[in-house]
Amino acid sequence: MPSHAETLAAAGLSETDLIGGSLTVRSPLDGAEVAQLAETSLADMPAVIARAQGAFAAWRQVPAPRRGELVRLLGEELRAAKAELGAVVTLEAGKITSEGLGEVQEMIDICDFAVGLSRQLYGLTIASERPGHRMTETWHPMGPCGVITAFNFPVAPWAWNAALALVCGDPVIWKPSEKTPLCALATKVIFDRAVARFGDEAPEGLLQVVVGGVDVGEALVTSRDVPILSATGSTRMGAAVGPKVAARFGRSILELGGNNAMIVAPSADLDMAVRAIVFSAVGTAGQRCTSLRRLIVHNSIREDLVAKLRQAYGSLTIGDPREDGTLVGPLIDQGALDGMQAALSAAKAQGGTIHGGTPVDAVAGGAYAAPALVEMPAQTDIVRTETFAPILYVMGYETLEEAIAMQNDVPQGLSSCIFTLNVREAETFLSAVGSDCGIANVNIGPSGAEIGGAFGGEKDTGGGRESGSDAWKGYMRRQTSTVNYSAELPLAQGVKFDI
Amino acid sequence: MPSHAETLAAAGLSETDLIGGSLTVRSPLDGAEVAQLAETSLADMPAVIARAQGAFAAWRQVPAPRRGELVRLLGEELRAAKAELGAVVTLEAGKITSEGLGEVQEMIDICDFAVGLSRQLYGLTIASERPGHRMTETWHPMGPCGVITAFNFPVAPWAWNAALALVCGDPVIWKPSEKTPLCALATKVIFDRAVARFGDEAPEGLLQVVVGGVDVGEALVTSRDVPILSATGSTRMGAAVGPKVAARFGRSILELGGNNAMIVAPSADLDMAVRAIVFSAVGTAGQRCTSLRRLIVHNSIREDLVAKLRQAYGSLTIGDPREDGTLVGPLIDQGALDGMQAALSAAKAQGGTIHGGTPVDAVAGGAYAAPALVEMPAQTDIVRTETFAPILYVMGYETLEEAIAMQNDVPQGLSSCIFTLNVREAETFLSAVGSDCGIANVNIGPSGAEIGGAFGGEKDTGGGRESGSDAWKGYMRRQTSTVNYSAELPLAQGVKFDI
Amino acid sequence: MPSHAETLAAAGLSETDLIGGSLTVRSPLDGAEVAQLAETSLADMPAVIARAQGAFAAWRQVPAPRRGELVRLLGEELRAAKAELGAVVTLEAGKITSEGLGEVQEMIDICDFAVGLSRQLYGLTIASERPGHRMTETWHPMGPCGVITAFNFPVAPWAWNAALALVCGDPVIWKPSEKTPLCALATKVIFDRAVARFGDEAPEGLLQVVVGGVDVGEALVTSRDVPILSATGSTRMGAAVGPKVAARFGRSILELGGNNAMIVAPSADLDMAVRAIVFSAVGTAGQRCTSLRRLIVHNSIREDLVAKLRQAYGSLTIGDPREDGTLVGPLIDQGALDGMQAALSAAKAQGGTIHGGTPVDAVAGGAYAAPALVEMPAQTDIVRTETFAPILYVMGYETLEEAIAMQNDVPQGLSSCIFTLNVREAETFLSAVGSDCGIANVNIGPSGAEIGGAFGGEKDTGGGRESGSDAWKGYMRRQTSTVNYSAELPLAQGVKFDI
Amino acid sequence: MPSHAETLAAAGLSETDLIGGSLTVRSPLDGAEVAQLAETSLADMPAVIARAQGAFAAWRQVPAPRRGELVRLLGEELRAAKAELGAVVTLEAGKITSEGLGEVQEMIDICDFAVGLSRQLYGLTIASERPGHRMTETWHPMGPCGVITAFNFPVAPWAWNAALALVCGDPVIWKPSEKTPLCALATKVIFDRAVARFGDEAPEGLLQVVVGGVDVGEALVTSRDVPILSATGSTRMGAAVGPKVAARFGRSILELGGNNAMIVAPSADLDMAVRAIVFSAVGTAGQRCTSLRRLIVHNSIREDLVAKLRQAYGSLTIGDPREDGTLVGPLIDQGALDGMQAALSAAKAQGGTIHGGTPVDAVAGGAYAAPALVEMPAQTDIVRTETFAPILYVMGYETLEEAIAMQNDVPQGLSSCIFTLNVREAETFLSAVGSDCGIANVNIGPSGAEIGGAFGGEKDTGGGRESGSDAWKGYMRRQTSTVNYSAELPLAQGVKFDI
């Protein structure tokens, strides 16, 4: 097993980069301090933003397929550095190796997608009602895009945003979580390699990483010169950010909390369901925005399913996420573990029966816990609250209508799923009267979206969409144009105005 | 000429509906009081919203093409009542007859468009990376849509929103401007006719009109049960509304102020330009959000163009907008006239030379003014401010780059245009380095958009889009779904997690 | 019950129009001669086509939304004349009243759809790889569109084509089946009403009906001045038409034969399946291109399903399709009845057990028959042949893979369906390894498509698509354009060529 | 300068592969024999096609993004082998080095595009008119795709087809021109490298190259097991192929002849026009399907432009295309040179004044000629004929309408352009009354399309589209599906059929 310093060095982060600053970075693996990073000074933010604006003036004039070429090179460099970057993700966010690599793979996938997009960015030509007139809708670069990311996905969401933003003509200013700045710096090293191969057309300031806390983020949130602000994090964060961006008529792309449920219907393939449940409830130690948090099980199979889950939970290996066979790594820090324990206490007080959930002394200095399965008599307040930890609440239902109502009766609206082999149940769940979430799956868990679809959710999840489909439109401005090439001047709607 | 009461009666508004309340409605034509309307009590708003939610539960289950049928009937009823509704627009907003009718025509057009849309509402099927998986993006009804409209377009923007919202499965709560509630009530009469023909599938509460001021609007703005809030009005209004909607994770569609310019290049067809300028600067007495407010003229033709404009301005007939030949009707009220005069004073103080702009005693009780042409030495503060009145500031330029920079150097970003016969100038203006507005035209003025294109603007204009293109997506929620129909459970991005 | 002459007169076809020609038209209801129509002389065809070309020169310049207005008026006129036109369909094609009306409803639906389309006809703006270049894809009118229709849907397929063609800017020349020319003439009467309301912008020759046989059709098929040829009919017809159109580089839209199957899985809702089967197998007396002809039933439920079907078949009312309660009207003529009997003989010879299928003496002069249910030991040659009559072959299967292979193992590829409540079966049927047909449904029969989807099929069905989705592109020509507005001349792909 | 054998060896074609067969391949550079290739026997074609069908059964089940990964690897291998493959193109087709490389670059570009596409292949979800029904349009793999290519673009058009076909799930059988089989074999070597990296998911027979003449092609053209036939070549070839494919209900994608014109308007930037004209008229020795063949010049500038062109033509270096500075390489063979001379004789007989055009003894054994400029009094028959050689006919015009009419008055409809700085002229040219070609450009020549747009043309050009936009749909079959998840069975169009 390499040392932390070796892991960082392999990712291009030399020791001298990592010392002398005021931001202490610790690894959740063992609580070890791995860096003392210099923070971006608030006073420097105007210059950072100005640099991005300068980059924008140049970058918007580079043809989109050329911009795509930079992203293609970024994809190549990510492929080359996949293991090294994945290891930093594991080191700093505590994910098991396979998930760390999976996150880098998502970065690669979105690069591939964005390269193709760079020859599309389709607007429309539209039939005009006036003779000798041509109407079009064109998408233009928008300006600098601030990207605020969270610790639990320290690199992929940046890539979802950045690959699109760059292809769309927008420079990026990235403020990573204070808990995972090294992932951002390691990514920046890779990005710089791509830029070096790309050459001079890439202006200085195309990607800037700012390190720091809420005030640094605030500088992006409130600046009129950052027209797009994409933020991943808690609903609380989003409730603070959204109105500030709105107050300056900026555009925000919010990916906030989830409280994701699975409905397990009588016809479900239970073995498959068990695997999906365990992966989506305990993977990343329950710290994904799409982690499964609520299980709504038909009463006829509830007891059976809980038994199977208890057995599966019992077999999980908890420990150093770098080791083969480990499925559950640490929580991000002791605070997260405390929060988990508090939630379990509340659940108990609200009538819950708790299986597991106790702290585990896996690696000294790390905040490890056994995932918890909590049988609840009803969907109480604590169930309706997102706790960023591996807690899965289990509740019963009788009718599909009731199950869907429970699924929807939380403030969040990110992801959801049903396990059923019945066409009518599956389709009803996906229909206008079904799940109210941005993501609704059948026979797969709530997490693990592909980059080809739009990612995001409704209600307190913030409404933003990233990644695939037409999420790229969030990074461009739309222009409706009519060109009159006739020698007449007809008015629309038949209005007459003769001077 | 019919009396005001006759005009209202012809539109289905009987005298008894119009008396006894606390909201005094006056006609800008002559300042006459035409109604004392009952206002919606703030205490009633929860019930209004609950009724809309109830309507939503039913309406979302009516198939979209059936919902389209209601909108088709609405279009038929609007066709039948075009003259009567147009007359109310003229009466209450002061538009000349042709423009009042044009506004109703826009309502009709968007109904036709929405009917076709009702068999589309296209989502996507998307290639999945996993065998035996199907991925789709589907658009579902979203919930009640609040629509706040402004006095200057008292009916068309409602229709842009409502025709789409209804087809998309969303009930509508309409709060018209306090200055033009009768237009809303007259429209409601027409809507009810369509509903009567449509039958029982239309739930009660599908369209509700609430009459009142800021507090009534606020009830819509702050309610989590009104997921979509579309508001047309001033930037000041939008700056208040946007953050409040954001704070509750609602979706706002803002159509705010414009400060629309025309660049007139040396190669322009000047006769055509003059007609376009006059229509777009003085039409609706300069009270359109898309009214032309700034003229950026190449220095080589500036003197000539100003002369032609002064001549054209001199020939305009100002007066009762119902009379044949009138091109300039009243401002909405005395306050607007005062604002106009104040702006002209400021312009003078900032170096401007003013032609016209004086109050005109056209009809007693009305606030009539001669449109003003103001030659400015530079783009000063008053030029960068939207004054809702027929004031056109004229400035010179030397290079296209300079002209575009002037065009973009205002807080608003609604509409813009260039008059030129030169391909390079025209295309540059429409390109990524050209106009930063949501609408950018060539050889037509900034106003008079067709409903087939998306309508709206950037920066302080609020960023919302209504009407054509894919603006309908603003009224629906997007759901990304993956259905696993295999007996395997592969994870995306090649993640391994074997329990 | 009105007389035939009264029915025709109500649809605007006066007696004098219907006599004196050489084409005898008989009603399948009773074999009565209802007209002696004048046929279009082959010598007149060049003038017909020239008139269409003349109309094209004008019509392509009418803005698409205006062209849509004509189609909207056509929709209104069809609504007004629905009963009368439906009655002519019943009279001439022998459909029951509800189906005759349904066919007119489809005409109305496609008009509504096309009106919306008239403000779309979306092309693309596309990101260019060269600085200072703009790339677009625009759709332009194509030219006259020949429409050849079949007796079994005498009006709806014309409308699918014509509503789109007209909106797309293309005049239409319609050659109806020799067996149903009156439906075409009655439709022309309605069309002319719409034109009269529309006014002068509609050029003469926008719609022409030519009456006659193969040679008249051939004149359309072989003319370079008819760039689009849409033909509905038999595979034999398509095999003759397609190569001729291809030889002159025209575009053909072929809707040919179907041999449509339903797979009934063990989990199917059998009651629902029975209703779907009976409607789709015996409706229109089995003379739809989408009629159900093959039933592939899981062996475990086969006996049960056949019993239910025999009972249902036994209860069908066969007779005059105008009478309430009649579900099965006549075949189109005695030849069709002979063909049915011959097919049944072949089926018997190939091992089939036949239930029903005998001629019925319902109305003197008409060719009525009891629908046939034929249990087959295997998918023999006669099963793989489309017989235009109410014959349903029933076969068993063991595995879904086998059932899909049987479904696909016919030359035709129009429509198909599965009845199952199992997600995996349903999705597999719809997947890349499922049905190879243009239409594949779950839990509804193969017939009765909505106009919002594209209609048509693969293999011997001809590959054409009509009606919804982007079928309209079949009526336009696509133009890829790049505008260089820079002062440079870069070459694509980095090619250097310096002179 | 490497020897021919060295060039071929560098591209992976060893000497032993190139001897012993019956097809003699010569280099147009010097007429040298470079290979005696074994031809595919007609008797082997059924096995070839069966192998493709076998590959299809497997490949269609590989998820599209995985299929995209193979194409991504192909793009990487093409990047790595760009110089070597480009050299083979030069050797076998006679293109100058820059153009040979440009052709490989096009292959790379389409790979990038197709990779992005592999996560799209978007179908639609569509609003259904029936409650409890879901409607979709999905695109599925179609089957083996035959690709017949021409000598003048020996590799890029294959890539346009193959990159899309492979991503769409279709195996490819490639029949290159008998004149350029080595380019195909060298490409196959590169493809095999990508497959080797990709691994076992790529079935055997995914790409097969068949070498031979018309009869080998015919085996593809007539086989029902090759549902898609894409052919690039002469109109004569297309007129033979199209009907045969149509007769078996296959789908053909035809890219046939062009007779491409440029209109030069009075306002044109003449220097830019001259460069565009020379590149597009003499590049690839006038042997592109998009070569400029007709120049339609406003009479006011005709003399001036011809003078400039004669000067530019006089400065062209004709010779070995591998040498720096060469702009005009050889014609493909002596037959092409004879055809060129015959055309010039005809032009003279029809009133033309010929400048240049004489054979040049540049390299012994090669068929070199000076490009010809031919001033014509009118658009005579020879002008309306495509001669595959560097002949440019020049004609005058007075009005734009006249110029457009001349432009359109040829049988072919591939590419076209106008040089003008006037908005009205440019837009008219691009409008419904403008060019009738598939490609219409402004201020760039007719050749050198980017891969992001759809490539192809109308009329005798065959109507096919390849490369960008939605050309990929040509390689898939469309399926319209409705899923009824309700317990009711409503019929579309309100039809009633109660049993």
Side-chain angles (χ1 to χ4, degrees), chain D residues 157-418:
Chain D
W158 169 78
W160 297 345
N161 283 282
L164 297 189
L166 289 170
V167 158
C168 290
D170 302 336
V172 171
I173 306 172
W174 182 7
K175 196 207 98 45
S177 164
E178 291 164 87
K179 296 177 181 171
T180 54
L182 301 179
C183 285
L185 296 180
T187 300
K188 180 69 161 57
V189 168
I190 294 168
F191 181 81
D192 288 344
R193 284 180 203 141
V195 166
R197 288 173 61 193
F198 182 71
D200 286 349
E201 271 174 301
E204 195 215 357
L206 200 48
L207 170 63
Q208 300 177 79
V209 176
V210 292
V211 173
V214 168
D215 55 347
V216 167
E218 185 96 353
L220 299 175
V221 166
T222 56
S223 171
R224 277 182 73 102
D225 286 328
V226 181
I228 310 160
L229 201 287
S230 176
T232 305
S234 66
T235 290
R236 195 171 46 79
M237 180 276 288
V241 163
K244 284 175 188 161
V245 175
R248 61 168 176 92
F249 298 113
R251 191 187 290 174
S252 54
I253 302 172
L254 299 178
E255 301 290 345
L256 311 176
N259 193 349
N260 318 291
M262 180 190 291
I263 296 172
V264 188
S267 67
D269 179 328
L270 273 199
D271 285 345
M272 195 184 268
V274 166
R275 276 185 292 138
I277 291 164
V278 176
F279 170 68
S280 49
V282 315
T284 321
Q287 296 172 111
R288 288 191 217 112
C289 49
T290 57
S291 285
L292 180 64
R293 309 205 177 284
R294 298 181 294 140
L295 200 58
I296 304 170
V297 191
H298 194 266
N299 287 329
S300 63
I301 55 169
R302 186 176 170 187
E303 202 169 326
D304 184 16
L305 180 59
V306 168
K308 284 175 197 280
L309 286 174
R310 290 183 63 179
Q311 185 172 25
Y313 269 56
S315 74
L316 295 169
T317 307
I318 303 162
D320 188 322
R322 296 171 300 178
E323 283 180 11
D324 275 2
T326 297
L327 290 180
V328 185
L331 289 168
I332 188 66
D333 57 19
Q334 185 60 36
L337 186 53
D338 294 347
M340 177 183 178
Q341 299 305 315
L344 291 174
S345 298
K348 194 169 180 187
Q350 291 169 23
T353 304
I354 297 168
H355 310 286
T358 48
V360 171
D361 193 13
V363 181
Y368 294 80
L373 208 58
V374 185
E375 295 184 86
M376 295 297 294
Q379 188 157 276
T380 63
D381 277 359
I382 190 67
V383 179
R384 299 177 74 252
T385 304
E386 181 190 28
T387 301
F388 232 54
I391 303 175
L392 180 62
Y393 300 103
V394 187
M395 294 158 290
Y397 80 88
E398 277 300 318
T399 69
L400 181 62
E401 198 177 0
E402 179 194 348
I404 291 173
M406 285 175 71
Q407 140 66 34
N408 290 349
D409 187 26
V410 294
Q412 307 87 349
L414 181 50
S415 190
S416 60
C417 58
I418 190 171

Side-chain angles (χ1 to χ4, degrees), chain C residues 285-374:
Chain C
Q287 297 172 111
R288 288 191 217 111
C289 49
T290 57
S291 285
L292 180 63
R293 309 205 178 283
R294 298 181 294 139
L295 201 59
I296 304 170
V297 191
H298 194 266
N299 288 328
S300 64
I301 55 169
R302 188 176 170 188
E303 204 170 323
D304 184 17
L305 181 59
V306 168
K308 284 176 198 279
L309 286 174
R310 290 183 64 180
Q311 185 173 25
Y313 269 55
S315 74
L316 295 169
T317 308
I318 303 161
D320 188 322
R322 296 172 299 179
E323 283 181 12
D324 275 3
T326 297
L327 290 179
V328 185
L331 290 168
I332 188 66
D333 56 20
Q334 186 60 36
L337 185 54
D338 295 347
M340 178 182 178
Q341 299 305 315
L344 291 174
S345 298
K348 195 168 178 186
Q350 291 169 23
T353 305
I354 297 168
H355 311 285
T358 49
V360 172
D361 193 14
V363 181
Y368 294 79
L373 206 59
V374 185

Side-chain angles (χ1 to χ4, degrees), chain B residues 233-279:
Chain B
S234 67
T235 290
R236 195 172 45 78
M237 180 277 286
V241 162
K244 282 174 188 159
V245 176
R248 62 166 174 93
F249 298 113
R251 192 186 289 174
S252 53
I253 301 172
L254 299 178
E255 302 289 343
L256 311 175
N259 194 347
N260 318 292
M262 180 191 293
I263 297 171
V264 187
S267 67
D269 179 327
L270 273 199
D271 284 346
M272 196 186 267
V274 166
R275 277 183 293 137
I277 292 164
V278 176
F279 170 69

